[in-house]
Amino acid sequence: MTAPEPAEPSGLSERDRAVLAMERRGWPGPGAKERAIREGLGLSPTRYYQLLGALLDDPLALEHDPVTVNRLRRIRDEKRRRR
């Protein structure tokens, strides 16, 4: 296991900021996004979504990108309600 990247002044690592940036983009389909996750971030999609889930509960992520984090929280909450 590799050590996490050092945090920037915002408190988020470069990888965390890259995950949030990936979520801001629009995607033509699931294959394109998963390919970008593997190639651009060097992560498996499973690991990516684990990191993303943790970021949604991180106050530093909310401070860094409130629009994206709040949108993803609403989607997550709606999925939980439907279960």
Side-chain angles (χ1 to χ4, degrees), residues 7-72:
E8 293 295 316
S10 70
L12 293 176
S13 69
E14 183 177 328
R15 180 186 65 193
D16 291 345
R17 289 190 318 276
V19 167
L20 291 172
M22 186 79 65
E23 286 301 312
R24 280 192 299 271
R25 293 183 55 185
W27 299 98
K33 182 177 182 180
E34 289 175 357
R35 188 170 44 256
I37 290 167
R38 287 184 188 281
E39 294 172 3
L41 300 177
L43 298 169
S44 72
T46 300
R47 181 66 181 138
Y48 172 85
Y49 288 109
Q50 289 171 341
L51 293 169
L52 179 60
L55 280 171
L56 295 184
D57 296 323
D58 187 337
L60 294 174
L62 180 62
E63 184 179 318
H64 175 75
D65 192 347
V67 173
T68 301
V69 171
N70 282 323
R71 177 178 58 84
L72 294 171

